[in-house]
Structures are given as C-alpha cells and as structure tokens.
Amino acid sequence: MESKTDKLEPKDDKDSLKTLAMPELMKKLGASADGLTQAEATKRQAQYGPNAIEEKKTNEYLKFLSYFWGPIPWMIEAAVILSGIVQHWLDFFVILVLLLSNALVGFWEEHQAGNAIAALKSRLAIKAKVKRDGRWRDPKASEVVPGDVIRLRLGDIVPADARLLDGDSIEVDQSALTGESLPVTAKPGGAVYSGSIVRQGEIDAIVYATGSNTYFGKTAQLVEQAHTVSHFQKAVMKIGDHLIILAVALVALILVFALFRGDKVLTTLEFCLVLLVAAIPVAMPTVLAVTMAVGARLLAKKEAIVTRLSAIEELAGVDVLCSDKTGTLTQNKLTLGDPFCIDGIAAANVVLWAALASRAEDKDTIDLAVIGGVKDDKELKSCQVLHFVPFDPVHKRTEATVKGADGKQFFVAKGAPQVILQMATNAAEVKTAADKAILDFAGRGFRSLGVARADEQGKWKFVGMLPLFDPPRTDAKETIVNAVKMGVKIKMVTGDQIAIARETSKELGLGVNILDASALGDTKKKETPQVIEEIEKADGFAQVFPEHKFHIVDVLQTCGHIVGMTGDGVNDAPALKKADCGIAVSGATDAARAAASIVLLTSGLSVIIDAIKESRRIFQRMNSYAIYRIAETLRVLFFMTLAILVFNFYPVTAVMIVMIALLNDGAILSIAYDNVFYRNKPEAWNMRLVLSISTVLGVIGVVSAFLLFYLGERVFHMDRLTVQTLMYLKLSVAGHLTIFLTRTRGPFWSIRPAKILLIAVVGTQAIATLIAVYGVFMAPLGWKWAGLVWAYALAWALINDRVKLLAYRIFDPIKKATLQTAVPAGDTRQIATRAYEIYQQRVHGESQQDQDWHEAERETHLEAAAKKKPAA
C-alpha cells in the first residue's frame, strides 16, 4: 500500500502547514488524532531522517591519515624512503617512529576531545511522549516523525514543530527561539515550535515538521554557513611557512655545495632531508594541540566542555563578548519590582491581594512571580480562597473570592492595568497617576500588572500596580566587572524591546547605548562605516533575530575584534558558530550546544571568567613553546649550514639530529602543565615579537656552538668523531635549557617551573648524556668532557637570559603612563605595600607580579596627583 505521506515532501512550505485548516492538514500528513502505527513511523523515519540537527561527521580513518598529509609529513616520509634506498636502517626506523608518534599523539588528543562532547550530548538527550499503535510511548525526540501525535505537558520541551489538537490553551515559553522572556498563549489549532517549553497546561498535538524542516531551519542553515579558520591555525601555518622557506633555502645551499665537492648524492640528499625534519618544527602542531588538550581537561573539571581545541586559544584573545540576555545575563524568570500604590495603601497589601488572585498549582510565570513577592507567607496562609476565576484571553484578568483572617469576605483581581481600571469605581480619580506609572514602568522595561480589591461584589477599587521584570543573575554583575578588568568588553544581545534591554543593561552596569537591531542588515548586507562604528561602540542590541546576531558578530570581526558569544537558545546557534569562540551556557538547547566551541554545564557566568583565565595561561605556554621551537630551529639550521659551507664538515650525524628531535620534543610535551601567570588583557599572536626574540636566541646559540666547536677541534685537539659527539650533547643540553628562558618574559627564575617540566627536561638530558658518554650510535665522549659541556651550556644559559631581557626591552618596551606628577623615591615602600594588597586580593597561585606592581604604581601616581591638585 502506498504511503499517504508521499504527497508531503520535505521541501513543502512550512508556513502553509502552520496555517492550513486542521482537517486538510490531517489529510496532507496522512495522519489522525489516534497517531501512527510503529511500522508507518519507521517508514517515515527513513523518509525524513532523524528529528535532529544534522552534523557532519569525519571518518576516523581518514582523520588519522590526514596527519600523514602536508608539507612537513611529506618531508619526513621522503627521508624514510631515502633511508631505505641507501639501506641506513637505523635512520629508517628512527625517522619512521618519529612520523608515527606525531600522528598518533595528535589524533588521540583530538579523538579524546570528540569523545567528551559525544558523552555530553548523549547525557542531555531528551525524550518525547508519542502515540504509536494506539498506545503512549517514550521514544527519543530524534525518532519523532511528521504525522506523530505527541502529548505536551508542564515542563516539556516541544520536540518538533506541531499543531495543537482539541483541548485548553497552553502557555509556551519561546525564549529559546525568539529571546522573549515572557510566555505566549497557544490555542487549539495553533502552532508550537521545536525547542519551546510548556509553562502551563497540557494538550495533544500533531507534528508537521521535524529536523531541518522546523521553524529554525533557516537558523540551522546559517550555522552550516559559518566557517572560520582559528587564529591558532593561522599562527601555526605562518610559523611553519617562515621556517620551511628558510630551511629549504639553506638545505638547498648545502646540497649545491656538497654536489660541487663531489659528495655522494643519495647520502647528501638523505642528510639534507633529515636536517629538514629536525630543523622544521615537526612536533609543533602536536605539542600545541596537547597543550590545549590538557587545558581542555582542566576546564572540564570546572564544568566547561571544550568541543573544538583551538577555541581555547581563541578564548584567550577574546576582547568582545556578545552575551545573550535571557537566561544568560538574567534568570529567565519574572520578579516583582517596587509596587505603585494608590492613596497610601501599603505596598505589602497590594502584593498580598495580587497573590490571592493567583494560583501556584497552575505554574503560571506571572502568578509564581507575584506569589514569590509576598514577604510574609503567614498572611497569605491566613486567608482562604473560596472561589478562583483563572485568566482567559477575553477578560484578561484573574479573580478570587477570599475569606480573610478576620472571617470577612472580600474580592481581589489582577490583570492588564487598562482592564482593571475599566472595572474600577475610582478610575476617574486615579487614572492620571496610574497612566503616569504605566509609562514610567514601560520606560524602564517593566511589564505592569493592575490590582483591584472589592469589599462588595462588583464594587472594585483600583489599589495599585505591580512591575514585573526578568532580574539579572546574581553573579552577572560581578562577572561583567571581572571581564572588564581583563580587557573584555561585554555587549548584551536580546530579542526583547529596547526599554527592557536598556533597563537591564543599566542595572548590570553595561551602559545604556542600546541599538535597535531591526535597523541592521542581514548576513549578506555590507554596512556603512557609520553603522559599523555604531555597532562597535554599542553596549548592547535589542529586538534581535538570528540573522542580526550573526551579522553583529560578523561586523565586529571585520573590525579586527576577537569575538566571543554566549547563548542558550536555537536563535543563538548561528552566532555561536560564527564567533571566534561560541559558549553555550548551562541548559542550552541541542542547537546551541552543537554550534558552540565551549559548553558550560553549571549555571552562571563566573565559569566563563575562569575559562578565560585558564585559556590565557594555556596561551602563555603555547607562546613559550613557539619561541623555543623557532629559536632551536634557527640554531640547528645556521650552525649546520655554516659548518658544512665553511669547514666542509658535518658537525653531527643524521641519527644524532633525529635523536635530538625525539628527546627534546618528546619531553617538551610537559610544558602543557607548566606554571604560568595569565595577563589582564586579551592575548594575540605577536609574530613580530615571537620571531624577533627567537632569532636573537637562535643567533646567540650559533655563536656559543661555534665557540665550543673551535675549543674541541683546535684547543682540545679532539678527532672529528669525538667532536661530533661533543656537539651532539651541546645542542641537546643547551637546546633544552632554552625552554627555561622562553617560558618567562622576566628573569628565568621569576616563575618557578612545574615539577613535571623540570623532571622531563632533566630526565631526557640525562639520557642524552649517557648516550654521549658511552657512545651509543656515536663515539664515546667520557664523563670529563660531558661535565664540561654541561658547565658550558649552563654558563651560556645565564648569558642568554640577560640577552633575552635586553631583546624584550628593545622589541617590546613596556609603555608607562605619562603622568605629570612623579612619585618620590621614598614612596617605593607604599607601592610595594599596595602591590602586596593586590596580590592578596587574588586567588592564591594567580599572582601577576609585574601587573600587580604596575597597578599599584599607577594608583600611587594618581593619589599623589590628587593631593597636589588645588581644592575647588
């Protein structure tokens, strides 16, 4: 039998299904109020696919193979092949191990990060109440198909777009879709959308759209369109390009000279390729990925799941954070403000009478807010509600007949202010004051609720109004202050009206420069310079739709900002994906979590500040490694090239080069656990500074290497094989000591290294020393000369540290504030005392020595200037 759903194609206009008469809709869907059979549901599942956001998955085998593809892997693979051709089997196996280890480590760390988010999603999967074969069942929401009859109850998340069947109206919270914090009323025949939450009532509905065909299908398309290349990827590619070009040029020079002198072609070519492998930062992507993976695990302990490793580096550089309002900066629940009262009536009484006209068991958002505003619960319990008239869209009010604590009967009502005024006998007397209060509440972004009381049936008196608003989260203001201190500008983004947005922004201390997003363009529109400037200077945006959020992030990125975006709803998903770092907050929808780079599992924004601090620490570790790796690359390249060209001598063998690479880069993975201080400003790759410091350290290393080479050959009269072992140990030890210099901007002792880093470096260099002393794969050096190399390397490390400090002063001088009033030398103690106070205010272990001192110095300068300013 042919399925009736063959007429219903996924491309059908969703708007027509939303408004089609119910009998016609049933016919088109090939369904009825009795639901589908399981067999029919299975067939439709195959036709329409799962009711979920479609995500592109990468084949794991292809992902692993990708680690063997690219300029750096090609060079290593060429070296392996050439080693086999000339039958240098030791070189062949050692280089092959290097190739495989890099691929395995990189693949494993990325795989682990993928597993973390997969586990998170499976834990958060929701179910639906569906009628199949005449019985109610609880399949996964992803198994819901068009034509299914579902039951929607209080607290349920609507699993798909559906039309309500016969029954009472329900209240639906659509904040996840529209950003509006107030619920809407949905009547039988009306449409409810996937991702909405039922706040009041219970009703059955028939599904008409699932998956990508739902209301936010356009949103899902925007998410797919948002593709970004991280600054981390750009930095690694830029470093790699610089070094590959330099390395290829120098190796080509060596090759030309070797061929000119008549050296063996294959042997020379193999040596050049191995030199390339050692010189080019082969392990750089792996070390940086491991550093971020370790950071991701640290963030996971703080209930923040990283779904894209490079997001950690992006978060460190975020200077603008676009934050969704409802549920992110606010609590997403209505709260009472200070009431407006008539004729000196006590505010507590107005709240009490409104609460008596409310019913908690209905779970209505407004009723719960009013009842929650009663300060003395005993007064509420002392009254007995004899009769209650619930809210309906026609009368727009609730009423209750109440028996007071004194036994007297009275009547109370609450509803829209205009409705309550119309039924009040004192309307003429209070209308002017009431209208003024309504305008005042509206201007501050509050929703007004009129309250009336009557001692006799029908003789109502208007007694006051209650302002309702969505209050900020308790930690939001503190989080914003901390973010600003760290150089991050917060911009509120909401679907609410401008008045509400402005009031919330003002209360949070964000500012009141709120733009109306409805005037902005869509994702394809190019804004004028004036509008771009307005977007950049705005404190927030109101009346925002998904395409506006996407557009705002896009404009800010074109201005050079690193943009973070927090959100929890479907409407946030495109901007979360487009942002440099998208953050899905606790309780976010599947769409938001799938689009985000970081998913928070705990409520509140304070964890974002912790994540920013941790990401900046991670960035410091990556920056330290980048300088170290480039410096060592330059050191090996220049030393080898000059030794071959000038002295016609290979100072180290191919095996020695590979062993240095294996030992040093293997141990340097421990930098992922190093102790570092974060900075109170966004981080960014300063390639000019990185390359400058690296070059200085690299050149100094070449000088020290040639001096030892001269001492070994001309002063100590060592034979060439022993000199090679001498240089091997020097390059290994001195090279690894460089990490202790690059990990700090100040003197190497200013930040104590992590124990694991210290143990890793000392351990690998002990192995390198034993290899050199006893001559494994090389001529034995002996303990005497090994001791000399260690002393020599340590002495040059101290010299290099001084040179590094001078280089920083030259290439990146610290700009001091120009203040007319100088601090007397005797006030140094005052600065030191204040710096210690600043340190004490921080969490233990988060000292920022140079920043604490400069902050204290600035405060002392300002105090001195204020004292000298003449009194007004």
Side-chain angles (χ1 to χ4, degrees):
M1 180 178 173
E2 186 179 13
S3 172
K4 293 180 181 180
T5 59
D6 289 342
K7 297 177 182 178
L8 181 63
E9 297 297 328
K11 299 292 183 182
D12 261 10
D13 183 9
K14 296 186 288 293
D15 289 334
S16 67
L17 297 177
K18 185 171 69 175
T19 57
L20 203 63
M22 289 301 287
E24 291 182 45
L25 177 68
M26 291 287 194
K27 184 178 179 181
K28 196 161 190 176
L29 290 171
S32 69
D34 294 327
L36 302 173
T37 63
Q38 185 58 48
E40 179 63 22
T42 303
K43 185 176 180 180
R44 296 190 184 196
Q45 180 87 36
Q47 179 183 356
Y48 295 107
N51 176 36
I53 300 168
E54 189 176 345
E55 294 182 72
K56 294 180 180 178
K57 293 186 178 180
T58 306
N59 185 287
E60 293 290 314
Y61 295 106
L62 293 177
K63 184 67 179 175
F64 177 68
L65 292 175
S66 69
Y67 286 90
F68 297 94
W69 188 260
I72 292 176
W74 290 339
M75 290 180 183
I76 304 176
E77 288 153 12
V80 171
I81 293 169
L82 283 170
S83 297
I85 291 173
V86 298
Q87 297 185 355
H88 285 188
W89 299 116
L90 177 62
D91 295 2
F92 176 86
F93 287 110
V94 169
I95 299 170
L96 187 61
V97 167
L98 177 66
L99 177 66
L100 291 172
S101 62
N102 277 334
L104 285 169
V105 171
F107 172 77
W108 178 252
E109 290 298 340
E110 196 161 338
H111 178 71
Q112 288 293 90
N115 285 345
I117 192 61
L120 170 71
K121 287 180 178 176
S122 64
R123 197 174 87 187
L124 295 174
I126 60 172
K127 293 192 173 184
K129 196 81 171 175
V130 181
K131 200 172 191 179
R132 299 265 176 87
D133 294 321
R135 296 170 52 197
W136 289 105
R137 303 188 181 186
D138 299 305
K140 292 179 181 178
S142 60
E143 296 174 8
V144 172
V145 297
D148 262 329
V149 171
I150 57 175
R151 174 159 292 176
L152 302 176
R153 295 174 295 183
L154 175 68
D156 283 353
I157 298 175
V158 180
D161 286 5
R163 296 279 297 277
L164 302 184
L165 298 172
D166 293 337
D168 296 326
S169 299
I170 60 172
E171 294 286 318
V172 182
D173 179 356
Q174 297 185 156
S175 61
L177 294 165
T178 64
E180 292 283 354
S181 54
L182 296 173
V184 297
T185 301
K187 301 177 183 178
V192 289
Y193 307 115
S194 174
S196 303
I197 302 172
V198 180
R199 292 300 187 193
Q200 180 180 325
E202 179 175 329
I203 196 170
D204 294 348
I206 185 163
V207 174
Y208 68 84
T210 58
S212 59
N213 293 317
T214 55
Y215 175 76
F216 59 87
K218 182 180 178 182
T219 298
Q221 290 173 2
L222 282 175
V223 172
E224 286 299 315
Q225 292 169 8
H227 296 291
T228 56
V229 178
S230 76
H231 294 81
F232 163 71
Q233 292 168 319
K234 292 177 183 176
V236 171
M237 287 188 289
K238 193 170 184 179
I239 292 171
D241 289 345
H242 274 84
L243 294 180
I244 286 173
I245 292 170
L246 178 63
V248 169
L250 293 178
V251 166
L253 191 62
I254 292 174
L255 188 60
V256 169
F257 270 76
L259 293 175
F260 181 76
R261 288 195 296 257
D263 295 343
K264 291 181 180 180
V265 177
L266 282 177
T267 303
T268 303
L269 188 59
E270 183 207 2
F271 185 85
C272 288
L273 283 169
V274 173
L275 179 61
L276 275 176
V277 171
I280 293 173
V282 180
M284 176 176 277
T286 302
V287 172
L288 297 183
V290 169
T291 302
M292 289 190 290
V294 170
R297 285 195 283 270
L298 290 173
L299 288 176
K301 292 180 181 178
K302 297 180 180 180
E303 300 293 296
I305 304 296
V306 177
T307 68
R308 183 169 57 92
L309 283 182
S310 59
I312 294 175
E313 183 262 350
E314 300 289 3
L315 185 60
V318 165
D319 64 327
V320 174
L321 181 63
C322 295
S323 177
D324 183 51
K325 179 185 81 72
T326 305
T328 304
L329 291 173
T330 64
Q331 298 176 26
N332 195 19
K333 66 178 183 180
L334 292 179
T335 301
L336 286 186
D338 295 329
F340 163 74
C341 305
I342 296 295
D343 297 333
I345 297 173
N349 287 338
V350 175
V351 176
L352 175 64
W353 295 332
L356 290 169
S358 307
R359 192 159 61 180
E361 54 266 33
D362 286 348
K363 302 294 182 183
D364 178 77
T365 309
I366 295 175
D367 283 6
L368 292 176
V370 173
I371 293 170
V374 177
K375 293 181 179 178
D376 189 353
D377 197 41
K378 292 180 181 177
E379 290 188 24
L380 191 62
K381 291 180 178 178
S382 66
C383 298
Q384 181 183 358
V385 177
L386 303 176
H387 180 67
F388 182 82
V389 180
F391 178 88
D392 68 79
V394 177
H395 297 96
K396 295 183 179 179
R397 67 177 184 269
T398 61
E399 294 181 23
T401 303
V402 183
K403 182 179 180 181
D406 57 1
K408 294 182 180 179
Q409 182 174 293
F410 60 95
F411 307 91
V412 288
K414 75 175 194 315
Q418 293 81 1
V419 172
I420 300 299
L421 278 169
Q422 285 176 3
M423 57 189 273
T425 57
N426 62 338
E429 304 166 22
V430 302
K431 192 175 187 308
T432 302
D435 286 344
K436 184 179 178 182
I438 291 171
L439 290 174
D440 177 57
F441 286 152
R444 292 162 57 196
F446 294 165
R447 177 176 176 174
S448 301
L449 191 67
V451 183
R453 173 188 161 122
D455 290 323
E456 297 179 31
Q457 184 76 44
K459 294 184 178 181
W460 294 101
K461 279 195 174 184
F462 187 89
V463 294
M465 281 190 301
L466 303 179
L468 294 166
F469 68 103
D470 184 10
R473 298 182 78 102
T474 54
D475 63 343
K477 195 166 186 177
E478 182 183 356
T479 300
I480 291 166
V481 170
N482 289 334
V484 171
K485 284 181 180 178
M486 298 180 74
V488 180
K489 166 72 175 174
I490 307 290
K491 292 182 184 288
M492 184 176 71
V493 183
T494 177
D496 279 337
Q497 296 176 349
I498 290 181
I500 296 174
R502 186 173 286 122
E503 181 65 22
T504 304
S505 183
K506 181 181 178 181
E507 193 166 343
L508 289 169
L510 286 173
V512 292
N513 182 17
I514 306 297
L515 289 186
D516 183 355
S518 61
L520 300 178
D522 58 22
T523 56
K524 297 178 182 178
K525 178 181 175 183
K526 288 187 177 180
E527 296 291 4
T528 63
Q530 182 182 355
V531 175
I532 290 174
E533 185 179 359
E534 289 177 359
I535 290 174
E536 196 171 14
K537 290 183 177 179
D539 298 314
F541 306 88
Q543 300 187 139
V544 176
F545 284 95
E547 56 269 24
H548 296 142
K549 294 187 178 188
F550 187 94
H551 186 53
I552 289 165
V553 172
D554 187 42
V555 169
L556 290 171
Q557 286 174 330
T558 59
C559 293
H561 294 288
I562 308 298
V563 184
M565 168 74 187
T566 69
D568 60 353
V570 173
N571 62 323
D572 299 321
L576 287 173
K577 185 72 176 287
K578 174 64 178 172
D580 296 292
C581 185
I583 305 167
V585 298
S586 176
T589 60
D590 285 339
R593 289 196 303 271
S597 303
I598 296 176
V599 179
L600 306 183
L601 300 183
T602 54
S603 58
L605 292 174
S606 59
V607 68
I608 294 177
I609 296 302
D610 289 337
I612 290 175
K613 290 177 182 177
E614 190 60 48
S615 67
R616 291 184 182 179
R617 291 190 189 98
I618 294 163
F619 184 91
Q620 290 291 331
R621 295 178 185 121
M622 293 193 297
N623 195 67
S624 300
Y625 172 75
I627 296 174
Y628 155 79
R629 185 62 266 174
I630 297 169
E632 284 313 292
T633 298
L634 296 176
R635 184 175 300 181
V636 171
L637 268 178
F638 287 134
F639 174 62
M640 291 291 297
T641 303
L642 291 173
I644 293 169
L645 297 182
V646 177
F647 299 101
N648 191 22
F649 170 60
Y650 290 89
V652 288
T653 65
V655 172
M656 290 176 180
I657 291 176
V658 174
M659 287 173 66
I660 289 172
L662 279 174
L663 285 173
N664 289 18
D665 275 337
I668 213 66
L669 289 172
S670 60
I671 199 173
Y673 301 92
D674 192 24
N675 298 325
V676 291
F677 297 153
Y678 67 86
R679 299 200 299 171
N680 268 341
K681 66 177 184 178
E683 296 283 10
W685 286 100
N686 185 343
M687 297 311 299
R688 184 189 67 83
L689 183 63
V690 167
L691 292 173
S692 298
I693 301 300
S694 301
T695 302
V696 169
L697 291 175
V699 170
I700 293 295
V702 172
V703 172
S704 66
F706 269 112
L707 180 57
L708 184 62
F709 176 71
Y710 173 81
L711 290 173
E713 190 173 56
R714 302 296 173 86
V715 178
F716 304 130
H717 304 293
M718 293 178 175
D719 60 75
R720 284 291 175 96
L721 292 178
T722 307
V723 168
Q724 285 182 327
T725 306
L726 185 78
M727 297 315 300
Y728 155 76
L729 186 58
K730 191 273 175 190
L731 290 175
S732 184
V733 173
H736 230 179
L737 289 178
T738 304
I739 191 61
F740 295 113
L741 311 183
T742 62
R743 59 182 292 278
T744 67
R745 177 165 176 149
F748 73 91
W749 43 262
S750 57
I751 305 174
R752 184 166 51 188
K755 287 182 179 178
I756 188 171
L757 176 63
L758 199 59
I759 292 169
V761 171
V762 173
T764 52
Q765 293 320 300
I767 294 171
T769 303
L770 291 172
I771 289 171
V773 168
Y774 295 106
V776 181
F777 308 133
M778 62 190 71
L781 186 64
W783 285 106
K784 174 185 173 182
W785 297 117
L788 175 67
V789 171
W790 269 93
Y792 185 84
L794 289 169
W796 270 99
L798 296 175
I799 296 171
N800 291 345
D801 195 47
R802 297 293 101 186
V803 172
K804 175 199 71 177
L805 296 177
L806 178 61
Y808 271 116
R809 291 194 191 100
I810 294 171
F811 296 115
D812 191 32
I814 297 175
K815 296 178 182 178
K816 294 186 178 180
T818 54
L819 294 168
Q820 294 180 348
T821 307
V823 177
D827 284 357
T828 302
R829 180 178 296 177
Q830 181 182 347
I831 296 172
T833 302
R834 178 58 187 145
Y836 182 73
E837 289 174 356
I838 294 171
Y839 163 72
Q840 290 288 79
Q841 291 168 7
R842 302 188 195 282
V843 179
H844 182 66
E846 293 185 354
S847 173
Q848 307 163 84
Q849 296 165 341
D850 55 338
Q851 292 178 56
D852 293 345
W853 182 271
H854 288 310
E855 188 175 337
E857 190 176 28
R858 183 183 61 80
E859 289 181 9
T860 308
H861 271 289
L862 292 173
E863 287 176 11
K867 288 177 182 177
K868 287 200 172 186
K869 188 181 287 186

